Amino acid sequence: MTLAAEEGGGFHAPTLADFFPGAIAFDGTFVEFNRIMMVRVIATVLLLTIMVLAARRATLVPGRGQNVVEVLLDFVRVNVAEEILGKKEARRYVPLLTAVFFAILAFNITGVIPGLNIAGTSVIGLPIVFALIMYVVYLHAGIQRQGLGGFLKTNLFPAGVPAPMYVLLTPIEFLTVFVLRPATLAIRLVANMIAGHLMLVLCFAATNYFILEAAPALKAFGAVTFVAGLAITLFEVFIAALQAYIFVVLSAVYINLSIETEH
């Protein structure tokens, strides 16, 4: 949390410096390890542990934990992959879409877990990795289905458009296909996680200030900011799941666009 006290004390709002913590180990090296990387490692270990335990303890009549995992698995398979790609095409991409959904959800949710308090996706590096993975799959799917020439023709020269319009349309389509689609995947994810973290820090830092440092007449405001922090925490849980969902939905949409012969 960002609540620094200078010589005179007082409240200090959170800044982007929160997302660039000091090194825990290997400072200044290529493998520098900091708090956000530690959060990512913890989230990965917990996710793998949960999935392995759910698989090993799977029964015909699922318990609560198994039921939650199965509901999420079916949700990605049916409501994302099959809904967008169709049952035939979905079989090929369900494993990847499911893995990305659970991974992003796990990294997002660390932002509201006490002791971790920051999303693993709140620094642009990890969202870029996820975006590049889906972008490579998107390009590979289209080129494999249509060939390089067919893929470029379909995406850069849409059918049914008067030839002179390609002078304006093709550069826009090029920018959309090769820049905006991967960029928006990463930027949307990281921007939401940054905003959520800053709101949480602001509320709880203000609570700490009002209760411990403010004048007696202002201490009651600590209750207001504390309740606001709890409300934003619940909202952030929703946003963590929503952003994981949006990411895989857009990924599936892009894959579907790449394998379609006509747009």
Side-chain angles (χ1 to χ4, degrees):
M1 297 293 181
T2 301
L3 183 60
E6 296 177 354
E7 292 184 1
F11 171 74
H12 299 276
T15 69
L16 291 178
D18 287 8
F19 303 97
F20 302 95
I24 296 174
F26 311 114
D27 188 15
T29 68
F30 177 73
V31 291
E32 180 176 301
F33 190 79
N34 58 33
R35 179 169 167 263
I36 291 181
M37 295 179 70
M38 179 185 70
V39 167
R40 292 170 177 172
V41 170
I42 292 172
T44 301
V45 171
L46 289 177
L47 176 61
L48 291 175
T49 301
I50 291 170
M51 300 305 290
V52 169
L53 290 177
R56 287 185 175 179
R57 298 179 181 178
T59 59
L60 187 60
V61 180
R64 290 183 180 179
Q66 181 184 339
N67 191 54
V68 170
V69 172
E70 288 183 357
V71 166
L72 291 175
L73 288 171
D74 285 340
F75 176 77
V76 177
R77 177 178 61 83
V78 176
N79 296 89
V80 178
E82 292 183 357
E83 183 74 22
I84 296 172
L85 296 166
K87 289 188 176 182
K88 182 179 178 181
E89 296 291 347
R91 294 192 192 99
R92 183 177 181 183
Y93 299 103
V94 162
L96 176 62
L97 293 173
T98 302
V100 169
F101 172 81
F102 276 95
I104 292 178
L105 177 60
F107 290 126
N108 286 355
I109 209 71
T110 58
V112 297
I113 295 178
L116 300 181
N117 300 113
I118 193 165
T121 46
S122 60
V123 176
I124 192 64
L126 189 58
I128 286 177
V129 170
F130 283 122
L132 286 177
I133 290 172
M134 300 313 302
Y135 185 59
V136 169
V137 172
Y138 158 74
L139 292 178
H140 179 265
I143 293 172
Q144 185 180 53
R145 178 63 58 87
Q146 304 180 57
L148 179 58
F151 175 77
L152 293 176
K153 179 181 178 181
T154 301
N155 285 275
L156 302 184
F157 302 92
V161 177
M165 289 297 296
Y166 288 133
V167 175
L168 296 175
L169 187 59
T170 297
I172 295 173
E173 291 296 324
F174 180 89
L175 184 66
T176 299
V177 171
F178 294 104
V179 179
L180 294 182
R181 284 178 181 168
T184 53
L185 281 176
I187 293 172
R188 180 183 290 104
L189 178 56
V190 73
N192 277 277
M193 294 302 102
I194 288 175
H197 177 78
L198 291 177
M199 288 191 297
L200 285 174
V201 172
L202 181 62
C203 286
F204 289 118
T207 299
N208 192 82
Y209 168 73
F210 282 128
I211 293 176
L212 299 180
E213 298 186 41
L218 298 176
K219 290 188 181 295
F221 287 104
V224 176
T225 56
F226 180 72
V227 171
L230 292 179
I232 292 174
T233 298
L234 295 176
F235 183 65
E236 277 304 295
V237 173
F238 169 72
I239 292 298
L242 179 64
Q243 289 305 313
Y245 169 71
I246 290 175
F247 193 99
V248 294
V249 164
L250 288 177
S251 297
V253 168
Y254 294 160
I255 292 171
N256 188 55
L257 288 173
S258 73
I259 61 180
E260 286 183 340
T261 56
E262 293 184 7
H263 293 172

